[in-house]
Amino acid sequence: LEALGRPQDRLPPVIHVAGTNGKGSTIAYMRAMLEAAGKTVHVYTSPHLSAFRERIRLAGTLVSSRKLNTALEACEKANGGIPITFFEITTCAALLLFSEVKADYLLLEVGLGGRFDATNVIDHPLGAVITPVSVDHTQFLGDTLAEIASAKAGILKRGTRAVIARQPEGALETIMTEAESLGLTPFAAGIDFDGFSQRGRLVYQDDRQLLDLPLPALFGPHQIENAALAIAAIRHFGLPVSEDAIAKGLRNAVWPARLTPLRGALTDYLAEGQELWLDGGHNAAGAEALA
């Protein structure tokens, strides 16, 4: 990045998102809400589902193969043959692209952990979001919830705001301790805000207001938590998104392979009354939510 002229210093306001599960869904809600409010949004997520281009969304549109190839070639040239991981060089390419295209906001998802992740090069993000933390990638992040939570909390920065999802007890304590050391008071689920399903609606409540909203487009009780986290981030970071835009974003959010019902030729092989659904849950907490 230094050799590329520090593109990370020429970005729109950044919302940095870490956590074990729910990062992609929370970003999908925030993006849909911001776009419903007429804002242009860059998005960086991983991994991709079927095409690498899905990881990089420039002002609302997936990056073209031509633009992506040009950015990757620039990064390889700047890197000069020094050893570098796949995620590091593709993150450099994404940040370079984000710096070259105008947008109102960048939603930036951590790849692995947080503190030592390649995305953790933003000195002054608009805010940080930490989704639920659970045991995953123990070979890199540690064997205990406290160790893993400490890695995730590494995206917190002094002088910025933070919104925290409902956490297991050990994880929340670690995140709060990290925040306190930086002089931050996080906006935390179950303490400062909450969301729940009631009579076919999503009810969101924080210290300022109660909102009566439609249920999110994504299926599953865990999506109520993700949607409430996205709403809390939009409101706590002071983003110019109306209640109508929040409602529209909840209805319009798209995030494939998250408890997605499948249609088409494959269903011809099902017995009567059977359905076919697809989900990308790949760790214990994800399997529990799926079950």
Side-chain angles (χ1 to χ4, degrees):
L1 287 170
E2 198 73 40
L4 288 166
R6 295 186 61 84
Q8 71 270 30
D9 296 340
R10 303 190 302 277
L11 300 174
V14 174
I15 298 174
H16 204 181
V17 182
T20 304
N21 291 317
K23 298 188 297 296
S25 297
T26 301
I27 285 174
Y29 291 125
M30 287 193 288
R31 175 193 152 212
M33 292 171 192
L34 286 164
E35 290 181 343
K39 304 301 178 184
T40 53
V41 186
H42 293 327
V43 182
Y44 186 55
T45 54
S46 61
H48 56 277
L49 185 61
S50 58
F52 181 85
R53 294 192 306 123
E54 297 166 24
R55 296 178 179 226
I56 302 171
R57 189 173 289 273
L58 297 175
T61 304
L62 293 184
V63 64
S64 68
S65 296
R66 184 185 296 271
K67 269 185 176 290
L68 178 59
N69 289 343
T70 299
L72 286 168
E73 286 168 1
C75 290
E76 287 201 337
K77 183 177 180 181
N79 190 54
I82 298 169
I84 191 168
T85 69
F86 171 85
F87 188 74
E88 286 168 345
I89 198 160
T90 52
T91 297
C92 289
L95 294 175
L96 181 62
L97 288 162
F98 294 143
S99 73
E100 294 172 345
V101 177
K102 287 187 176 181
D104 295 310
Y105 298 97
L106 165 58
L107 304 178
L108 183 68
E109 181 186 337
V110 164
L112 175 66
R115 190 179 309 279
F116 300 115
D117 188 69
T119 63
N120 200 24
V121 292
I122 312 301
D123 292 333
H124 302 289
L126 175 64
V129 177
I130 300 181
T131 69
V133 173
S134 59
V135 176
D136 199 8
H137 301 298
T138 53
Q139 68 271 40
F140 301 111
L141 304 180
D143 296 321
T144 68
L145 265 181
E147 290 174 315
I148 295 169
S150 177
K152 310 291 186 184
I155 70 166
L156 301 178
K157 301 290 190 301
R158 189 179 298 277
T160 63
R161 294 187 170 192
V163 175
I164 314 297
R166 202 181 311 276
Q167 302 289 347
E169 190 173 332
L172 182 61
E173 184 179 343
T174 299
I175 294 168
M176 289 300 196
T177 299
E178 179 83 18
E180 187 177 335
S181 73
L182 296 169
L184 306 183
T185 303
F187 200 63
I191 301 170
D192 304 295
F193 73 91
D194 217 333
F196 49 92
S197 174
Q198 186 176 76
R199 297 179 182 176
R201 303 283 290 175
L202 188 159
V203 178
Y204 170 87
Q205 187 170 14
D206 59 24
D207 53 358
R208 288 185 290 157
Q209 196 176 4
L210 186 146
L211 303 180
D212 179 15
L213 299 161
L215 289 174
L218 306 182
F219 291 107
H222 56 291
Q223 291 296 354
I224 299 292
E225 297 274 343
N226 293 335
L229 182 64
I231 297 166
I234 291 285
R235 288 168 62 84
H236 189 59
F237 299 154
L239 305 186
V241 180
S242 68
E243 184 176 342
D244 285 345
I246 288 173
K248 188 175 180 182
L250 288 171
R251 292 192 300 266
N252 292 348
V254 175
W255 195 229
R258 274 68 180 181
L259 207 55
T260 302
L262 297 183
R263 308 282 184 254
L266 281 173
T267 59
D268 294 341
Y269 298 93
L270 301 179
E272 186 176 349
Q274 289 184 334
E275 298 176 352
L276 185 60
W277 292 62
L278 176 66
D279 189 80
H282 59 279
N283 54 39
E288 187 177 350
L290 177 59

